[in-house]
């Protein structure tokens, strides 16, 4: 019989009889939508979820620099310029089974909600909440109750439902003519790459690990070939597909190669994937939301079953990410004509360890 445990990312995980890591993908699937009047109570749906109104200032994106699933929401919010309508709280990189802690803030409390642990927001709404306490999560500021932690829909709804509040000249990260392709890529990336590294890292048997390893590298080899003739994953400009891949790629060399035993080679040794990663890292919204120190502290400290000493490595040197990427010969550009990159980070949202990529 499968056993259920929780890793310290807060995600319930199932260990199958053959040792394969199986992620629990059950989330709070409420959504924030534009067709519910502002200042309304959440509207119940036939499937048991609720629809909440789009309303500036009502919600706070709870994230962590360390978490790849949260990172995609952080990037999307920044690219679209939603900082003035949806605030952001950031938990620290290390925690125990009781969930993410706002220990980067004064008095170890999120200044907008007063939460010490993200768990409190879940229990405020669901006193007997039985599942993992995950980021990203959107919390209603006034009540300090969780609204949703359904990470696949949060970036999509930021693009579609919050469109009236995007900054001037913001990108369309989910253009209608590419949505089916982006959705296809999102599903494939989740199964083969985003979660593929976790299948390697949390494999409970040699056979499960080797199967996961070969499956992951098959996907990365496909991406390397695809990116030899395509500047981005879908179309000629950055879309949500690229937002979904970036957090895994940027964590690969400092964490997944060693910590998760994804050790065939580094991304830096794959010219197309690395050039693509360089270009994204150098695009506002990507590199300026990446904190390598917090990323390494999270994985190497919280995964005690993999790294019981909790020693955090000093390498590798990631400064190659700021060198020329050489992808200008491919059709396309990061943003379509008339679209501009986001401006400087809002005060207080700068990464705390900007120099960490050189360690």
């Amino acid at each position: 019989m499968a056993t259920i445990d929780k890793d310290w990312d807060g995600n319930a995980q199932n260990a199958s009889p053959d040792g394969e890591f199986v992620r629990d993908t059950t989330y709070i699937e409420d959504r924030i939508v534009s067709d519910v009047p502002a200042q309304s109570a959440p509207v119940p749906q036939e499937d048991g979820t609720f629809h909440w109104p789009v309303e500036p200032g009502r919600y706070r994106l709870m994230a962590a620099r360390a978490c790849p699933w949260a990172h995609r929401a952080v990037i999307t919010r920044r690219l679209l310029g939603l900082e003035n309508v949806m605030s952001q709280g950031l938990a620290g990189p290390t925690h125990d089974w009781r969930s993410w802690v706002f220990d980067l803030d004064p008095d170890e409390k999120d200044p907008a909600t007063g939460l010490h642990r993200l768990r409190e927001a879940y229990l405020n709404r669901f006193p007997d909440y039985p599942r993992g306490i995950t980021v990203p999560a959107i919390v209603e500021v006034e009540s300090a109750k969780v609204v949703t932690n359904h990470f696949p829909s949060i970036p999509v709804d930021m693009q579609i439902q919050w469109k009236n509040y995007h900054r001037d000249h913001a990108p369309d990260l989910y253009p209608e003519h590419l949505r089916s392709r982006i959705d296809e890529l999102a599903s494939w990336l989740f199964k083969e790459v985003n979660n593929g590294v976790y299948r390697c890292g949390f494999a409970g048997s040699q056979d499960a690990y080797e199967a996961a390893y070969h499956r992951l590298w098959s996907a990365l080899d496909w991406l390397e070939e695809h990116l030899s003739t395509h500047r981005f994953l879908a179309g000629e400009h950055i879309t949500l597909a690229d937002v979904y891949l970036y957090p895994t790629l940027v964590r690969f060399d400092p964490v997944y190669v060693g910590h998760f035993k994804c050790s065939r080679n580094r991304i830096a040794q794959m010219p197309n994937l690395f050039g693509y990663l360089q270009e994204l890292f150098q695009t506002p919204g990507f590199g300026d939301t990446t904190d390598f120190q917090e990323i390494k502290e999270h994985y190497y400290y919280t995964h005690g079953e993999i790294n019981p000493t909790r020693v955090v490595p000093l390498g590798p040197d990631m400064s190659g990410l700021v060198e020329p990427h050489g992808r200008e010969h491919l059709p396309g550009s990061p943003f379509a004509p008339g679209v501009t990159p986001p401006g400087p980070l809002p005060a207080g949202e700068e990464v705390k360890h900007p120099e960490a990529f050189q360690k």
Side-chain angles (χ1 to χ4, degrees), residues 297-313:
E297 285 179 8
H298 171 69
Y299 283 94
Y300 285 98
Y301 185 89
T302 61
H303 295 160
E305 70 277 36
I306 297 176
N307 184 40
T309 66
R310 295 179 174 172
V311 172
V312 179

Side-chain angles (χ1 to χ4, degrees), residues 148-305:
T148 180
N149 68 340
H150 191 236
F151 78 89
S153 66
I154 289 174
V156 172
D157 285 345
M158 284 181 175
Q159 175 65 62
I160 297 175
Q161 305 297 334
W162 289 84
K163 188 172 181 60
N164 288 341
Y165 298 97
H166 292 178
R167 65 179 174 86
D168 292 339
H169 310 296
D172 184 354
L173 300 173
Y174 196 50
E176 287 196 32
H177 70 287
L178 291 174
R179 286 182 186 175
S180 62
R181 178 58 175 158
I182 292 170
D183 290 345
E184 179 184 26
L185 283 165
S187 177
W188 181 80
L189 286 169
F190 173 80
K191 289 183 290 187
E192 305 303 322
V193 181
N194 306 139
N195 199 47
V197 294
Y198 282 82
R199 276 200 308 272
C200 292
F202 286 108
S205 70
Q206 187 68 31
D207 287 346
Y209 162 70
E210 292 186 12
Y213 176 95
H214 292 302
R215 184 173 169 182
L216 170 66
W217 281 106
S218 177
L220 290 171
D221 285 341
W222 183 89
L223 285 166
E224 173 71 5
E225 177 64 25
H226 179 75
L227 290 168
S228 69
T229 55
H230 297 78
R231 192 159 176 177
F232 301 102
L233 291 184
E236 296 186 349
H237 310 292
I238 290 170
T239 67
L240 285 178
D242 304 295
V243 174
Y244 297 159
L245 178 57
Y246 172 84
T248 300
L249 285 187
V250 84
R251 286 162 175 76
F252 201 93
D253 289 1
V255 174
Y256 301 147
V257 163
H259 185 60
F260 278 177
K261 309 179 187 71
C262 304
S263 49
R264 193 190 76 179
N265 55 260
R266 296 175 59 193
I267 296 300
Q269 296 169 295
M270 304 178 79
N272 299 314
L273 266 171
F274 190 62
Y276 166 82
L277 177 59
Q278 288 174 305
E279 182 162 24
L280 291 180
F281 185 85
Q282 295 167 30
T283 301
F286 290 87
D288 59 14
T289 61
T290 303
D291 190 318
F292 287 109
Q293 184 62 29
E294 291 195 21
I295 288 169
K296 290 192 293 185
E297 285 179 8
H298 171 69
Y299 283 94
Y300 285 98
Y301 185 89
T302 61
H303 295 160
E305 70 277 36

Side-chain angles (χ1 to χ4, degrees), residues 316-337:
D317 184 349
M318 299 295 290
S319 58
L321 289 173
V322 298
E323 295 176 357
H325 54 74
R327 292 182 62 78
E328 297 88 350
H329 67 285
L330 294 171
S333 59
F335 300 112

